[in-house]
Amino acid sequence: MAPSTFSKPNFDLAQINQQLVDQPATGVIEWAAKQFGPQMVLTSSFGSQSAVMLHLVTQVIPQIPVVLIDTGYLFPETYQFAEQLTIRLRLNLKVYQPQVTANRMEAIYGKLWEGDDQSYQKYVQITKIEPMQRALEQLNTTAWLAGLRHQQTNHRASLRHVELQEGRYKIHPILHWTTQQVHQYLQKHNLPYHPLFEKGYASIGDTHSTTPITAEDDERS
């Protein structure tokens, strides 16, 4: 079915979230698939516990586009992990990269992530925001699924199953899951953690901004 067959629905978000509050993760995914059809993507960083969402969603929507933003600074283990899961789960992987290579960006601007807040925001715009916006546009995206959870940060604790973000719907199927539930799902389906997880990396992003956590840290610190 062509994407043009689907139009962007207008929801009463309060009502929809009330309907979904007691739904299991698969129920939220099935609702989203019915509403958005081929105009929906799954975004993944291929971080420590990403196999959960990748497996969960593709059991319901096998050929959903899976968007990975490759900043140019991912760990070698992240690229290997993405390849491993792409083969195992038969993912329809779509990799988007900045329009400027990492070497060129550093040559022109220096190491932006080491600068002030303005420099860091420029880094985020070049390596993450612009590629994501391009991906959403090129894939004709009305909504996307993401594996955010209430336990992860104070901001995420306030999220609902369905939110509107810059004109697109963002759906969080495992929003209420605990870390224990994530671990149990991985075990039940014999799914791997990211290779760096056992080395103390709970949240895995760019090489220059990711370090193992200590007892005093939270997962996103």
Side-chain angles (χ1 to χ4, degrees):
M1 187 176 293
S4 58
T5 304
F6 287 79
S7 60
K8 181 179 175 181
N10 292 313
F11 297 120
D12 179 333
L13 287 180
Q15 182 181 36
I16 289 298
N17 280 291
Q18 184 61 37
Q19 292 175 5
L20 295 176
V21 69
D22 293 323
Q23 284 290 318
T26 52
V28 176
I29 296 166
E30 288 167 356
W31 172 86
K34 181 178 179 181
Q35 298 297 326
F36 302 106
Q39 290 181 291
M40 185 166 63
V41 302
L42 167 61
T43 56
S44 180
S45 65
F46 288 86
S48 60
Q49 303 163 350
S50 292
V52 169
M53 275 291 288
L54 292 165
H55 182 271
L56 191 64
V57 173
T58 55
Q59 298 307 295
V60 179
I61 317 170
Q63 282 301 301
I64 188 171
V66 176
V67 176
L68 167 64
I69 302 303
D70 176 6
T71 62
Y73 293 95
L74 303 182
F75 285 90
E77 290 88 346
T78 300
Y79 295 111
Q80 294 160 4
F81 187 51
E83 184 70 10
Q84 174 190 357
L85 289 177
T86 297
I87 294 170
R88 175 173 171 180
L89 302 178
R90 300 180 180 180
L91 302 179
N92 180 17
L93 185 64
K94 307 290 185 182
V95 180
Y96 281 79
Q97 299 167 316
Q99 294 181 320
V100 179
T101 65
N103 286 340
R104 184 181 180 194
M105 182 179 67
E106 288 189 39
I108 296 173
Y109 303 114
K111 296 181 177 180
L112 289 169
W113 61 88
E114 293 182 347
D116 58 18
D117 185 63
Q118 185 175 358
S119 295
Y120 180 73
Q121 291 306 317
K122 186 177 185 69
Y123 170 76
V124 171
Q125 176 65 34
I126 291 172
T127 63
K128 301 180 182 181
I129 295 176
E130 188 283 325
M132 177 59 78
Q133 291 176 337
R134 181 160 29 97
L136 296 175
E137 288 293 331
Q138 291 183 0
L139 296 171
N140 193 30
T141 305
T142 298
W144 80 90
L145 293 154
L148 306 186
R149 295 189 293 112
H150 278 156
Q151 278 193 344
Q152 291 171 323
T153 66
N154 289 335
H155 167 68
R156 294 178 183 186
S158 66
L159 292 175
R160 300 172 296 179
H161 277 307
V162 183
E163 298 286 2
L164 189 62
Q165 180 174 313
E166 297 182 355
R168 291 183 174 89
Y169 292 99
K170 196 167 184 181
I171 299 109
H172 313 112
I174 62 171
L175 193 62
H176 302 314
W177 283 29
T178 64
T179 300
Q180 183 179 10
Q181 285 175 291
V182 169
H183 178 68
Q184 288 172 342
Y185 189 93
L186 289 168
Q187 282 195 319
K188 178 180 178 181
H189 297 282
N190 192 30
L191 295 167
Y193 282 95
H194 189 290
L196 292 178
F197 180 78
E198 293 184 355
K199 298 181 180 180
Y201 292 80
S203 179
I204 301 162
D206 292 336
T207 55
H208 52 70
S209 59
T210 304
T211 57
I213 63 172
T214 66
E216 291 76 27
D217 294 328
D218 62 42
E219 289 185 7
R220 301 295 301 178
S221 62

